[in-house]
């Protein structure tokens, strides 16, 4: 007796599930995959920042304390993240907000 053959069952994902899946894929990207300069990638990896998820957890103040990581490099990081749909909380740079009363 042969076993009956079953057609595969497919479950369609909701738009929300698809969006979450894509977001997780982006968060798991290596920082080397998002278009940063090698020097920038090396700076971040030296501090244990390897994925977009790791990068998003770091406040700008911490990034600016990394050796050879200045405002131009921070702008480079922001621009790379913006390509993946992430936006800056504020357009102000850290030193500008320190002078605001």
């Amino acid at each position: 007796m042969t076993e009956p053959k079953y057609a595969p069952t497919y479950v369609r994902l909701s738009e929300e599930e698809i969006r979450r899946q894509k977001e997780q894929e982006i968060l798991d990207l290596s920082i080397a995959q998002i278009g940063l300069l090698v020097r920038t990638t090396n700076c971040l990896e030296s501090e244990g920042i390897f994925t977009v998820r790791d990068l998003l957890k770091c406040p700008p103040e911490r990034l600016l304390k990394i050796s050879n990581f200045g405002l131009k490099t921070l702008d480079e990081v922001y621009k790379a993240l913006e390509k993946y749909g992430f936006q800056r909380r504020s357009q102000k740079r850290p030193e500008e907000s320190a002078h605001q009363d």
Side-chain angles (χ1 to χ4, degrees):
M1 184 158 132
T2 62
E3 290 186 32
K5 294 188 178 185
Y6 296 100
T9 304
Y10 297 99
V11 177
R12 185 180 170 124
L13 296 176
S14 71
E15 294 297 320
E16 179 63 20
E17 290 169 319
I18 293 169
R19 186 194 62 74
R20 274 195 301 246
Q21 220 175 36
K22 286 180 182 178
E23 184 178 278
Q24 291 303 311
E25 289 172 8
I26 292 170
L27 291 172
D28 291 336
L29 283 175
S30 160
I31 57 170
Q33 294 176 282
I34 64 170
L36 298 173
L37 296 173
V38 172
R39 184 187 65 75
T40 303
T41 301
N42 290 341
C43 286
L44 293 169
E45 288 180 348
S46 73
E47 294 295 314
I49 302 166
F50 298 101
T51 65
V52 170
R53 183 184 318 276
D54 296 336
L55 186 55
L56 292 172
K57 289 180 183 178
C58 291
E61 296 80 16
R62 177 179 170 213
L63 295 174
L64 290 170
K65 289 180 182 177
I66 298 172
S67 180
N68 297 316
F69 196 106
L71 291 174
K72 285 177 74 174
T73 308
L74 184 63
D75 281 339
E76 174 196 348
V77 167
Y78 283 145
K79 287 176 184 171
L81 290 173
E82 287 169 357
K83 291 178 188 174
Y84 288 91
F86 297 101
Q87 295 181 356
R88 303 178 199 201
R89 287 188 192 141
S90 167
Q91 292 298 328
K92 294 179 185 175
R93 292 183 172 170
E95 79 281 2
E96 292 173 0
S97 56
H99 299 296
Q100 299 286 323
D101 286 12

